[in-house]
Every structure is written in structure tokens, then in C-alpha cells.
Amino acid sequence: MNYNLLEEMGLGSFDLTYLFIVVFALILILMIITIAQTVRIRKLYKRYNKFMQGKNAKSLEKEIEGIFEDNKFIKASSEKNRKDIMALYRKFEGAFQKIGIVKYDAFNQMGGQLSFSLALLDENDNGFVLNSVHSAEGCYSYTKEIKNGLCEISLGDEEKKALDIAMDFTTES
């Protein structure tokens, strides 16, 4: 019984040497791929062993849980700090932040520039101007309310100058 598979497939004149070369090349390629994958797996195994060194699954799980708890604490602290900062900002907004002072001699006979105008304003330019006039008979003080940088009562030259200084006031000065 003479059984020739290549002749039945219509490849009777096909040289088997080419087939062996192709199969050999495929085997060689597969061997190279297998070696490369083996090297990768060894590297991964070494990294895994280094990661797990000195730890068992339970201690690693506890460490991960600890990290999550720390993360929750940091988030809660951050939120509390944000709320505290906002509360401080709201309180600070109404505090006097801008100052302007002008010393002057109310009456030419006194000397020493004992009179002054003091402007105190908050962030929104609300506050007052305090004017203290010193004379030989005594010292007189009065205030004028400032809203949004404006006063309903007319300001004297020194009061206006003190208000201008306060309005131009920056924390860097």
C-alpha cells in the first residue's frame, strides 16, 4: 500500500525540504518567544518576592487597611482645615485691615503736630475716620463713618488724606 499524502493534495512535486525549513523556523521563533517570556516571568517573580519579603498576606492586608485609614484621616483633616480657613476668612473680612494716619498741627500756635486723623477700614472699605484735634483748651475727638470708601459727611483735608492712605494700603507696605 503506497500512500502519498502530498500527491492526493495535488502537491506531488513539492520539495519537503522547504516544509522542514519553514517548520524549523517556526520552532526557532517559538523557542525565542518562550525564552523571552521566561525571562519576563523571572523578573516579575523577583519583584513579587521583593514586595512580599517579610510579610504574609494578613500583615500586608493590615498595612493596606492602615493606608486607607490614614487616607480617610487626611481627607477629614483637610476638609476640617478648609472649613476653618473659610471661617477665619469670613471673620477676617470684617476686621480692620487698612490703616491711614495723618498727623497735623490743628492750630499754628501749638506746634508738635499733636492732632491726627486716623482711618481704619476693613476689606470692603467699611470703617471710620477718627479725628482728634488738640488745642490749648483741650483735646476733642470725633468719628465719621465710612461705607464702601465713601463718607456721607464731608471730610476735612487731613481726614481725606488719611482715608486715601488707608484705601491704598497693602499688606506689603
Side-chain angles (χ1 to χ4, degrees), residues 36-52:
Q37 292 301 324
T38 302
V39 169
R40 281 184 164 178
I41 288 173
R42 279 197 183 136
K43 285 181 182 178
L44 184 61
Y45 187 70
K46 284 180 184 177
R47 287 177 61 197
Y48 173 76
N49 282 338
K50 188 175 182 179
F51 178 71
M52 296 300 286

Side-chain angles (χ1 to χ4, degrees), residues 14-24:
F14 183 73
D15 191 3
L16 289 179
T17 307
Y18 295 121
L19 181 63
F20 287 127
I21 291 173
V22 170
V23 170
F24 182 73

Side-chain angles (χ1 to χ4, degrees), residues 50-69:
K50 188 175 182 179
F51 178 71
M52 296 300 286
Q53 190 174 16
K55 300 184 184 314
N56 59 26
K58 291 208 183 256
S59 65
L60 185 60
E61 182 180 344
K62 285 182 183 180
E63 194 163 323
I64 291 172
E65 286 176 359
I67 290 171
F68 280 122
E69 290 300 318

